[in-house]
């Protein structure tokens, strides 16, 4: 098992982005990221390796977010154009190739207008490059649900972007 420092170095940016999409506030996303890793440290001995470490951490982050919401009774989101760009390139997938043909800014604007859970599923797939299995685990749904939600969201996104081009 990796040390917590190695885990933090590898996954902090992903967890921060995941929380930033949900919170809409950089400071809050940073605070919740720290709380996520604190909770992960407390429960590291219970990590059984049945899922990827990134999936497990996103699950903790989601629970930390829900706990925050219960305490605050509010919800915000951040426009996707304000999310920091990833420094390393993503692997090119079929979905990525389709979306690469369109203007990145247009897509981000349309994604900002999407409803949940499609918005989060598309973010996790395209920005964080997670598998459908991992997305299903994070969202506490099946892999098939993640695939269908992504496909439907992607179709709506492409329809909106191409409608804007006309």
């Amino acid at each position: 098992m990796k040390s917590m420092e190695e885990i933090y170095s590898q996954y902090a940016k992903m967890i921060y982005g995941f929380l930033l999409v949900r919170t809409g506030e950089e400071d809050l996303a940073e605070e919740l990221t720290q709380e996520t890793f604190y909770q992960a440290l407390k429960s590291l001995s219970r990590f059984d390796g049945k899922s990827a470490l990134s999936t497990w951490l996103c699950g903790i982050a989601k629970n930390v977010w829900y706990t925050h919401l219960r305490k605050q009774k509010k919800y915000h989101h951040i426009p996707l154009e304000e999310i920091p760009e990833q420094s390393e390139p993503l692997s090119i997938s079929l979905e990525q190739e389709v979306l690469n043909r369109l203007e990145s800014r247009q897509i981000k604007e349309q994604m900002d207008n999407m409803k949940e859970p499609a918005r989060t599923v598309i973010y996790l797939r395209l920005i964080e490059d997670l598998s459908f299995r991992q997305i299903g685990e994070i969202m506490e749904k099946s892999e098939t649900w993640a695939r269908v939600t992504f496909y439907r969201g992607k179709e709506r996104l492409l329809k909106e972007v191409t409608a804007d081009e006309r």
Side-chain angles (χ1 to χ4, degrees):
M1 174 57 93
K2 297 178 182 181
S3 73
M4 188 48 86
E5 284 183 38
E6 292 172 319
I7 293 170
Y8 183 84
S9 294
Q10 186 173 356
Y11 297 105
K13 186 175 180 180
M14 180 185 78
I15 297 301
Y16 173 77
F18 177 77
L19 290 166
L20 185 60
V21 166
R22 293 179 180 293
T23 64
E25 300 174 21
E26 292 178 4
D27 291 340
L28 179 57
E30 181 62 37
E31 180 183 326
L32 295 177
T33 299
Q34 297 306 318
E35 179 64 20
T36 297
F37 282 96
Y38 172 71
Q39 294 298 326
L41 180 61
K42 284 179 28 179
S43 60
L44 191 57
S45 63
R46 291 183 292 195
F47 176 66
D48 58 11
K50 289 183 181 175
S51 65
L53 194 54
S54 60
T55 302
W56 182 69
L57 289 169
C58 281
I60 293 172
K62 185 173 68 169
N63 289 333
V64 165
W65 167 237
Y66 288 154
T67 299
H68 173 78
L69 284 179
R70 280 190 296 277
K71 289 179 183 177
Q72 301 299 314
K73 303 251 190 238
K74 65 179 183 179
Y75 177 80
H76 295 290
H77 76 278
I78 188 167
L80 287 176
E81 62 267 7
E82 294 179 22
I83 296 174
E85 294 295 325
Q86 222 171 294
S87 58
E88 61 276 353
L90 297 175
S91 61
I92 299 296
S93 64
L94 177 61
E95 296 89 13
Q96 191 67 42
E97 286 180 35
V98 170
L99 294 174
N100 279 345
R101 287 187 267 152
L102 303 169
E103 287 289 324
S104 175
R105 184 151 182 87
Q106 281 181 300
I107 292 170
K108 288 181 178 181
E109 287 171 1
Q110 291 301 329
M111 282 180 70
D112 189 41
N113 295 326
M114 292 184 80
K115 294 181 181 175
E116 291 295 341
R119 184 172 185 258
T120 297
V121 170
I122 289 175
Y123 171 81
L124 291 172
R125 181 72 177 160
L126 296 180
I127 306 298
E128 296 302 334
D129 203 26
L130 296 182
S131 70
F132 291 115
R133 182 184 58 77
Q134 291 171 313
I135 294 168
E137 288 175 7
I138 290 167
M139 303 297 286
E140 297 176 352
K141 303 283 186 179
S142 69
E143 179 178 342
T144 302
W145 175 90
R147 287 180 185 278
V148 169
T149 303
F150 176 80
Y151 176 78
R152 289 177 180 163
K154 180 182 71 170
E155 291 299 308
R156 279 192 302 270
L157 182 64
L158 289 171
K159 185 178 176 182
E160 293 295 323
V161 170
T162 54
D164 285 351
E165 291 177 348
R166 293 180 196 157

